[in-house]
Amino acid sequence: LLILTSTTPKTRIALFSWAMRRVEDYSEYWEVKMRKKKIICLVSLSLSLLFTGCKQKPDDQARFDQYLDSLPTRFISNTNMNLEYLFENPTLYGFQDELLTLPFSTKEDYEQSKKESENILKELDQFHYDSLSEKQKLTYDILKDNLERGMKLSNFYDLDNNYLGSFIGFQAQLPMLLNEYTFERKHDLDSYFHILETSEETFLKYAENEKYRQEQGTGMSQTILDKVIQQCENFVNSDLSFLIDRINGRIDQVSFLSDDEKEAAKTRNRETVNNQLKQAYRSLKEQLQTIDASKEDLGLASKPNGKEYYENLLQVKTGVDMDVAKLRTYLERKITDLEMQLLAIVRKDASALENLNNGLTFTDLTSVEEVLDYLKEAMKKDYPTIDNLSYEITKVPEALADNFSPAAYLMGKIDAPISAPEHIYINGDFSHDLFSTIAHEGYPGHMYQHTYFKQQQYPTVRYLLDYNGYSEGWATYVERNSIVEYTPKEYRNSFQLSRINNELVSAYISLSDIGIHYDGWNRDDFTAYIEEVFGEGVLTEEELKEQYDLILETPTNYLQYYVTAFQFQDLHDKASKALGSNFSNIDFHEVILKTGPAPFHILEKEVDKYITK
């Protein structure tokens, strides 16, 4: 009975061993023999329960697929604004048509999210892992890791729940997000207006949340807060015709409105953007101006539980399972190795450094489109080919240029046709210096990687799992390779020096991120470190201030690019060394691309399989 009623296989097996030992204590042979027969019957029954009760049948792969299909609605709510950018028609994936809203989470939401993750993990445990296909096992492993990794931040609500910032704050990104809003259905248009009309209400929640964070000692410093206030002021005083014209152009193209309804919708859009959306930024500015934030520009190390949060944030955002001590050692060793590589090239080719210092031209092409078309062909020797990829290049509106990166890729929707164009934004005019940036955002970077993975036809839930360390690490890794592989061959050593220099800088910036947020550096500490490494006067006082502010505002952001790019290169070097002449860049990159967004311990596992095969 103990064996039968035990809840776990391990307990059943342990009880069986215990029962057998008790039986062997009896002396009468036939009694012992009969008891053993009974126990063997009980064990057989318990093993059958193991597979038919708590666990799925070994061959029941279809039920696992059905389970995965049920998960998207448990990851995203019906009102989540992200649905607009993930799906053309969310109802086909189980979502109900409710008006979308700007994001905001309460402490109760964090707790509920943790409970839901725990529930899904328990449900996953009910499937017999060995009965799944290899592709299903990969989804199982990544889903399990994503849930466990995400739960690391559930106890840090005060530190983690932040919507404001001058660099990647939500209020800074919202104008561009609205600029990309599309209308496949009437519900999309209704949600767009609901977002605009409730924006002030949500922005006031952001302000109240920041006041609460300040009370807890976890809010922004006055320097960053002042930048957010200035951004709000700039938006209120901006000409928003770019947004109005963009949306009105899309309203003209819809088929679900009459001509009169289109005119009414365009008038409503113009009035709502100029009045209610601007009022949201005005109210946010006014509320933030009432906050007396910390005058000290210090990182997470100065905040309650800040160091613990940073260490967890590091593993969640990068997908790398290193604590701070191991990461610091890793980066220091990487610096030593890179310096040796740099010296070896200079000793081999004295002109390489001179050419680099004189300024090298990455390309003689004259437009973003020409560079993308060139990279598409040049990369074929190193990456698997991809068909049906079209794209559009859009120039960043002047009103947003000051708060926008040099370029950005807007990820295509999950259910959009493969032939639907991908979108890349370029900030400013084209120059040859954009070569590596275009490689990062386009071929063989984000646009190529996302489209390639989309064509693998994984369950929908795989496309909802966020591994920013994978996507940014990949884009940075291929950007660095492109600097050497697809630039003029006569200057290969010079471009190799350029790549190594970039990697060295990224390693030092990564160590600075640790210094500010884990070791407690202040501005003077950071300045002293940078000047010790690069020399005095290399960066101006204003440049040092700007770099410190960026790291201060976005803990682990640089690590999501730089540390992960190193990790991809490590996997490449591991496979290349193991396989020698049998190594293929195309085959290696295919493994990474087909695995898709994942933590690095799973990526390494897949690379090891490739090596063995």
Side-chain angles (χ1 to χ4, degrees):
L1 287 175
L2 283 169
I3 297 170
L4 284 170
T5 57
S6 297
T7 57
T8 66
K10 288 184 178 179
T11 306
R12 293 172 188 164
I13 294 169
L15 284 169
F16 169 57
S17 301
W18 170 83
M20 292 300 291
R21 290 196 297 274
R22 298 292 71 74
V23 167
E24 289 167 1
D25 289 341
Y26 291 95
S27 58
E28 295 186 21
Y29 171 78
W30 286 109
E31 184 177 359
V32 170
K33 187 173 182 179
M34 291 306 295
R35 287 178 184 269
K36 283 185 179 179
K37 284 184 178 180
K38 290 179 181 178
I39 291 172
I40 289 172
C41 289
L42 288 176
V43 171
S44 299
L45 180 58
S46 71
L47 288 175
S48 69
L49 289 174
L50 176 68
F51 293 111
T52 59
C54 295
K55 297 282 184 176
Q56 304 291 350
K57 293 179 180 179
D59 60 348
D60 199 359
Q61 298 177 4
R63 292 183 67 183
F64 185 67
D65 285 338
Q66 291 173 359
Y67 175 73
L68 294 177
D69 288 342
S70 73
L71 290 179
T73 55
R74 297 173 68 179
F75 275 78
I76 303 178
S77 72
N78 293 322
T79 60
N80 192 314
M81 185 180 176
N82 282 332
L83 288 177
E84 154 61 21
Y85 305 100
L86 290 168
F87 300 103
E88 287 190 345
N89 190 353
T91 60
L92 298 178
Y93 297 85
F95 294 95
Q96 302 299 312
D97 272 344
E98 297 183 37
L99 294 176
L100 305 182
T101 61
L102 298 179
F104 183 75
S105 295
T106 64
K107 196 167 187 177
E108 290 71 27
D109 292 330
Y110 267 62
E111 293 169 353
Q112 181 58 41
S113 177
K114 181 180 180 181
K115 289 179 181 177
E116 184 70 345
S117 295
E118 290 171 342
N119 289 336
I120 296 174
L121 286 169
K122 289 177 183 176
E123 292 163 5
L124 279 176
D125 192 49
Q126 302 306 307
F127 290 93
H128 192 281
Y129 183 82
D130 291 337
S131 73
L132 304 178
S133 69
E134 290 304 308
K135 198 170 186 178
Q136 286 177 322
K137 287 179 181 177
L138 182 60
T139 295
Y140 182 106
D141 291 340
I142 293 173
L143 177 57
K144 185 173 183 290
D145 176 271
N146 188 270
L147 292 165
E148 293 173 341
R149 204 172 289 270
M151 287 167 61
K152 291 176 180 286
L153 304 182
S154 59
N155 295 327
F156 298 98
Y157 173 77
D158 299 347
L159 288 161
D160 194 61
N161 193 50
N162 181 28
Y163 300 91
L164 305 176
S166 66
F167 186 52
I168 54 176
F170 187 78
Q171 98 292 332
Q173 298 183 51
L174 181 58
M176 187 57 73
L177 289 172
L178 293 173
N179 198 53
E180 287 304 318
Y181 211 101
T182 58
F183 309 116
E184 270 77 37
R185 305 172 300 141
K186 176 69 162 53
H187 175 74
D188 297 334
L189 185 61
D190 292 340
S191 285
Y192 168 78
F193 284 124
H194 185 257
I195 287 170
L196 293 182
E197 290 163 357
T198 59
S199 57
E200 182 180 20
E201 175 187 338
T202 309
F203 273 24
L204 290 175
K205 290 181 182 179
Y206 296 165
E208 288 303 312
N209 183 64
E210 182 56 29
K211 291 176 183 178
Y212 167 77
R213 281 160 45 85
Q214 292 289 339
E215 292 171 0
Q216 305 303 310
T218 57
M220 294 181 286
S221 71
Q222 191 66 49
T223 297
I224 305 303
L225 186 62
D226 287 343
K227 289 187 176 186
V228 176
I229 292 170
Q230 186 60 54
Q231 272 191 354
C232 292
E233 177 69 19
N234 294 342
F235 186 85
V236 169
N237 295 325
S238 292
D239 177 8
L240 301 183
S241 57
F242 76 91
L243 177 58
I244 295 169
D245 293 344
R246 177 87 159 180
I247 294 300
N248 283 356
R250 288 189 171 140
I251 291 174
D252 275 330
Q253 296 172 358
V254 303
S255 59
F256 51 78
L257 296 177
S258 67
D259 289 344
D260 288 343
E261 288 172 329
K262 288 179 182 179
E263 290 305 314
K266 289 190 290 184
T267 300
R268 182 182 178 186
N269 177 49
R270 186 177 300 106
E271 293 175 351
T272 309
V273 168
N274 281 328
N275 297 319
Q276 286 162 289
L277 185 59
K278 280 197 172 186
Q279 181 57 40
Y281 280 88
R282 189 178 294 111
S283 296
L284 178 60
K285 181 197 74 170
E286 291 170 355
Q287 288 300 311
L288 295 181
Q289 285 175 326
T290 67
I291 296 175
D292 185 17
S294 171
K295 298 299 186 292
E296 287 189 289
D297 293 323
L298 297 175
L300 289 173
S302 68
K303 304 181 187 299
N305 302 313
K307 294 178 70 170
E308 184 183 358
Y309 171 66
Y310 179 78
E311 199 144 32
N312 283 279
L313 188 68
L314 156 67
Q315 296 185 359
V316 171
K317 296 298 185 180
T318 64
V320 175
D321 297 320
M322 283 190 268
D323 59 23
V324 168
K326 288 182 179 179
L327 178 59
R328 195 196 311 271
T329 301
Y330 173 83
L331 289 169
E332 289 171 348
R333 289 175 178 171
K334 188 67 70 175
I335 287 171
T336 300
D337 181 54
L338 289 168
E339 287 175 342
M340 292 176 64
Q341 292 179 38
L342 190 147
L343 288 172
I345 293 174
V346 173
R347 287 169 180 165
K348 177 183 176 181
D349 182 3
S351 65
L353 184 59
E354 183 179 352
N355 291 332
L356 183 62
N357 289 334
N358 289 336
L360 289 172
T361 300
F362 290 95
T363 178
D364 57 0
L365 300 173
T366 59
S367 71
V368 175
E369 290 85 353
E370 285 184 4
V371 173
L372 282 171
D373 290 343
Y374 164 72
L375 287 171
K376 178 182 178 181
E377 293 302 315
M379 63 178 271
K380 287 182 177 179
K381 70 183 182 68
D382 296 310
Y383 302 89
T385 56
I386 183 173
D387 298 321
N388 303 316
L389 198 170
S390 60
Y391 60 86
E392 292 179 358
I393 305 299
T394 303
K395 191 170 182 178
V396 175
E398 187 174 343
L400 301 179
D402 289 344
N403 297 317
F404 204 86
S405 58
Y409 162 68
L410 182 68
M411 191 165 64
K413 297 184 180 184
I414 294 170
D415 56 342
I418 293 296
S419 58
E422 302 291 320
H423 295 273
I424 292 179
Y425 276 93
I426 296 295
N427 193 354
D429 297 326
F430 174 81
S431 71
H432 76 88
D433 292 334
L434 280 174
F435 180 86
S436 60
T437 301
I438 295 169
H440 183 107
E441 303 296 344
Y443 290 108
H446 286 311
M447 180 176 72
Y448 166 78
Q449 176 270 313
H450 172 73
T451 308
Y452 193 97
F453 179 60
K454 182 178 177 180
Q455 294 185 10
Q456 303 310 304
Q457 298 182 329
Y458 275 98
T460 303
V461 70
R462 274 295 312 271
Y463 300 100
L464 303 181
L465 303 182
D466 179 26
Y467 282 98
N468 203 48
Y470 172 95
S471 57
E472 294 301 349
W474 167 268
T476 305
Y477 159 77
V478 299
E479 171 191 344
R480 290 172 176 174
N481 286 338
S482 298
I483 290 174
V484 177
E485 298 298 329
Y486 311 131
T487 48
K489 299 304 178 188
E490 62 268 30
Y491 298 113
R492 185 180 180 89
N493 286 334
S494 296
F495 286 118
Q496 185 67 32
L497 285 179
S498 177
R499 169 187 173 148
I500 294 171
N501 182 66
N502 290 345
E503 290 177 320
L504 277 169
V505 171
S506 72
Y508 285 120
I509 293 296
S510 297
L511 286 172
S512 298
D513 195 281
I514 294 172
I516 292 169
H517 291 291
Y518 194 81
D519 298 332
W521 290 2
N522 59 24
R523 286 188 186 277
D524 291 340
D525 296 326
F526 171 73
T527 298
Y529 176 74
I530 294 298
E531 291 183 344
E532 178 186 352
V533 170
F534 299 106
E536 291 187 28
V538 174
L539 293 180
T540 65
E541 184 176 339
E542 184 59 32
E543 288 171 334
L544 284 166
K545 180 182 182 301
E546 182 181 356
Q547 185 62 70
Y548 184 89
D549 287 348
L550 282 173
I551 299 174
L552 177 68
E553 185 182 330
T554 59
T556 77
N557 186 61
Y558 281 110
L559 306 185
Q560 296 172 52
Y561 292 75
Y562 299 154
V563 172
T564 52
F566 284 139
Q567 292 284 296
F568 276 118
Q569 190 62 50
D570 289 348
L571 291 176
H572 176 279
D573 294 346
K574 177 183 181 179
S576 178
K577 183 178 179 181
L579 294 175
S581 60
N582 290 323
F583 176 77
S584 160
N585 271 326
I586 293 176
D587 292 345
F588 168 78
H589 290 137
E590 186 174 41
V591 172
I592 300 297
L593 290 163
K594 284 189 172 181
T595 301
F600 279 89
H601 74 89
I602 289 179
L603 290 167
E604 185 170 21
K605 180 181 175 182
E606 295 303 306
V607 170
D608 288 342
K609 288 180 183 177
Y610 155 66
I611 293 172
T612 302
K613 182 179 179 180

